[in-house]
Amino acid sequence: MLKKGIFKQLRRTVDAVESAPTALQALAAARELRLAAEALELSLVVEIRSQRGTWTEIGQVYGTSKQGAQQRFRAAVEQARANA
């Protein structure tokens, strides 16, 4: 199950991008937003795999093969399992 904190972080960083007084500050906030979105993405992949979702299904979302999905996410899924 996804942690609700990640959605708060995404909302906070979107607000920071929108309200940044300078382009440099907006860029810094956009970087944080990207990192938060990547964390959400990985959390969802871990959740899908824990619910017996297949690498083929995940690959289809990204327009890639089963092997492409595995190469992109397998290490993160294995690390999440080890930390659980």
Side-chain angles (χ1 to χ4, degrees), residues 31-51:
R31 179 179 180 275
E32 288 183 39
L33 177 60
R34 181 181 50 79
L35 293 173
E38 287 175 1
L40 173 60
E41 182 180 49
L42 290 175
S43 294
L44 289 168
V45 170
V46 168
E47 185 174 335
I48 290 164
R49 291 293 296 153
S50 72
Q51 295 173 354

Side-chain angles (χ1 to χ4, degrees), residues 2-3 8-9 15 20-22 29 34 36 54 57 59 64 70 75 82:
L2 290 174
K3 297 176 184 173
K8 287 181 183 180
Q9 182 181 6
D15 290 343
T22 69
R34 181 181 50 79
T54 68
E57 292 169 323
T64 190
Q70 288 173 326

Side-chain angles (χ1 to χ4, degrees), residues 52-68:
R52 301 209 179 268
T54 68
W55 287 115
T56 299
E57 292 169 323
I58 295 166
Q60 287 174 345
V61 170
Y62 290 91
T64 190
S65 65
K66 165 188 172 177
Q67 290 80 11

Side-chain angles (χ1 to χ4, degrees), residues 10-22 25-27 29-30 33:
L10 284 166
R11 287 185 195 100
R12 188 182 73 247
T13 54
V14 166
D15 290 343
V17 171
E18 291 178 337
S19 65
T22 69
Q25 289 171 322
L27 178 61
L33 177 60

